[in-house]
């Protein structure tokens, strides 16, 4: 039996260092959903579900502290398997570059993987083998799964990192393992979450900018409109003078005839 978790990802652009102030714009909310089995629980910032918090043996403040330290928005835990998956959402120059990941060739993703992990998701000291990278195509996205090892809790441990880019946002799932090298079941766990990810809104790159530019164009004065309006006024005045002269001319002729 599965429970559906709707994770709302507020996508806001124009963050410092990512865009110039003159090019700032915002995109409507993008909703991502993913399903988990009944053994998993999703924890987020400022939780109010006291029953779940009590079942997990944590407080809302402890959850907030954990997410702030890990630089993540959510984490999914399975107490029975003692597994944790952190969900990281990033909006930056890298996520903007790979706006919708299904438009990027697999070879490019592999060639840029180091930069994506470090600059896109702030993941350092993560070691992996290129041959172990898995790129899985879906209807709305591609999902890149990278098993490797990372520094965690003061020691080297296995980690599986899976990520995608949709609507200019980077979404990553990170799971640390008990072993120094992830096993097949660890990879399968992360990929099972990816299998159920869906988005209700997929936007083309540049769509938001064009929308904002169109709005600004409507607000801005239209010099051509003023020119046309001015010429119209002149033409109307000339027509009035012409008609007045035509009216006055017969009167003048009649006076001369007398």
């Amino acid at each position: 039996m599965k429970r559906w978790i709707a994770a709302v990802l507020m996508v806001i652009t124009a963050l410092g260092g990512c865009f110039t102030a003159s090019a700032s714009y915002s995109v409507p909310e993008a909703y991502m959903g993913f399903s988990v089995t009944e053994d998993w629980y999703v924890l987020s910032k400022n939780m109010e579900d006291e029953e779940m918090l009590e079942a997990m043996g944590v407080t809302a403040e402890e959850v907030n502290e954990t997410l702030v330290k890990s630089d993540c928005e959510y984490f999914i835990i399975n107490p029975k398997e003692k597994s944790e998956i952190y969900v990281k959402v990033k909006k930056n120059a890298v996520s903007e570059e790979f706006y919708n990941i299904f438009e990027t060739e697999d070879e490019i993703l592999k060639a840029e993987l180091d930069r994506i992990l470090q600059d896109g998701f702030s993941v350092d000291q993560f070691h992996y083998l290129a041959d172990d990278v898995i790129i899985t195509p879906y209807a709305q996205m591609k999902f890149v799964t990278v098993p490797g090892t990372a520094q965690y809790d003061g020691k080297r441990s296995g980690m599986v990192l899976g990520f995608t880019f949709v609507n200019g946002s980077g979404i990553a799932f990170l799971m640390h393992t008990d072993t120094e090298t992830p096993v097949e079941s660890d990879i399968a766990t992360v990929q099972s979450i990816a299998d159920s990810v869906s988005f209700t809104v997929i936007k083309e790159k540049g769509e938001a900018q064009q929308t904002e530019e169109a709005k600004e164009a409507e607000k801005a004065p239209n010099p051509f409109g003023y020119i046309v309006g001015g010429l119209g006024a002149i033409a109307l005045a000339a027509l009035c003078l012409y008609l007045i002269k035509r009216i006055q001319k017969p009167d003048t002729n009649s006076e001369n005839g007398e």
Side-chain angles (χ1 to χ4, degrees):
M1 180 180 178
K2 287 189 175 183
R3 297 178 302 180
W4 182 258
I5 307 298
V8 181
L9 307 181
M10 179 70 80
V11 181
I12 301 178
T13 60
L15 296 178
C18 299
F19 302 91
T20 61
S22 60
S24 64
Y25 59 91
S26 62
V27 181
E29 293 178 1
Y31 295 91
M32 180 189 74
F34 53 93
S35 59
V36 294
T37 64
E38 59 185 3
D39 294 331
W40 290 85
Y41 298 86
V42 178
L43 304 180
S44 60
K45 293 177 182 177
N46 304 319
M47 286 191 64
E48 296 180 356
D49 190 336
E50 295 296 336
E51 185 177 347
M52 180 184 291
L53 290 170
E54 186 175 347
M56 297 296 98
V58 295
T59 65
E61 290 73 19
E62 289 172 336
V63 172
N64 287 351
E65 184 179 353
T66 299
L67 291 174
V68 169
K69 285 183 177 179
S70 61
D71 189 26
C72 294
E73 277 61 47
Y74 311 93
F75 69 95
I76 317 168
I77 60 176
N78 186 329
K80 291 183 179 180
E81 297 181 6
K82 296 182 179 179
S83 298
E84 298 180 353
I85 297 179
Y86 289 81
V87 184
K88 180 175 289 195
V89 182
K90 289 292 185 179
K91 187 73 180 175
N92 50 40
V94 173
S95 67
E96 181 69 15
E97 178 183 346
F98 298 95
Y99 196 85
N100 282 324
I101 195 172
F102 54 70
E103 298 174 352
T104 305
E105 298 293 335
D106 292 357
E107 291 74 16
I108 295 176
L109 289 171
K110 290 180 179 180
E112 297 291 333
L113 192 51
D114 283 344
R115 184 168 66 89
I116 290 172
L117 296 178
Q118 293 174 12
D119 299 342
F121 294 106
S122 302
V123 175
D124 298 317
Q125 298 183 4
F126 179 49
H127 302 279
Y128 63 91
L129 296 176
D131 292 340
D132 294 337
V133 176
I134 305 168
I135 300 179
T136 308
Y138 292 92
Q140 296 178 305
M141 65 173 185
K142 290 178 181 178
F143 192 83
V144 182
T145 307
V146 189
T149 59
Q151 194 74 18
Y152 181 65
D153 262 356
K155 62 179 182 179
R156 302 292 299 177
S157 67
M159 186 174 82
V160 181
L161 187 153
F163 70 86
T164 188
F165 292 104
V166 175
N167 295 343
S169 287
I171 301 115
F173 298 84
L174 300 89
M175 186 179 76
H176 295 280
T177 65
D178 293 331
T179 57
E180 188 170 341
T181 303
V183 297
E184 288 297 325
S185 59
D186 298 324
I187 297 171
T189 297
V190 173
Q191 290 188 319
S192 68
I193 300 295
D195 288 341
S196 67
V197 170
S198 64
F199 298 86
T200 59
V201 178
I202 301 292
K203 301 181 70 66
E204 292 294 329
K205 186 175 182 178
E207 183 177 341
Q209 294 97 316
Q210 292 170 1
T211 301
E212 290 300 318
E213 288 168 3
K215 290 180 181 178
E216 290 302 320
E218 290 178 1
K219 295 178 184 178
N222 185 348
F224 183 73
Y226 284 126
I227 292 171
V228 172
L231 290 175
I234 294 172
L236 180 60
L239 178 61
C240 290
L241 289 173
Y242 173 76
L243 291 174
I244 290 171
K245 288 181 179 180
R246 287 292 302 270
I247 292 171
Q248 290 176 342
K249 192 172 183 180
D251 294 339
T252 303
N253 292 337
S254 60
E255 288 177 1
N256 293 334
E258 292 177 353

